[in-house]
Amino acid sequence: MSWDIVGEGCEGAALLGPDSSEVLAVLHTAMLAGLPSTALRDSIITHPTMAEGFNLLFNSWTK
């Protein structure tokens, strides 16, 4: 996954692999809404999906 973060928002990402379209759909919605990464970190994402990984990803980031 490649991220370009400006401030708190995400400019874009590129994913390659199984179920990547599922993850991109969640990310694209967040980008369109202008949500910060904390919105994905704190959200409840349906189970079982690959997009659940956003919670773990953004919890691992330190400022």
Side-chain angles (χ1 to χ4, degrees):
M1 189 180 297
S2 174
W3 291 84
D4 290 321
I5 302 295
V6 174
E8 284 291 314
C10 180
E11 283 188 338
L15 284 82
L16 176 65
D19 300 319
S20 61
S21 60
E22 173 191 313
V23 176
L24 284 173
V26 172
L27 182 59
H28 185 241
T29 302
M31 290 170 57
L32 288 174
L35 297 175
S37 60
T38 53
L40 290 176
R41 180 195 66 198
D42 299 336
S43 66
I44 297 172
I45 300 174
T46 58
H47 175 76
T49 67
M50 292 298 292
E52 288 179 278
F54 281 132
N55 299 97
L56 296 172
L57 172 69
F58 293 125
N59 274 326
S60 68
W61 288 4
T62 58
K63 292 188 177 194

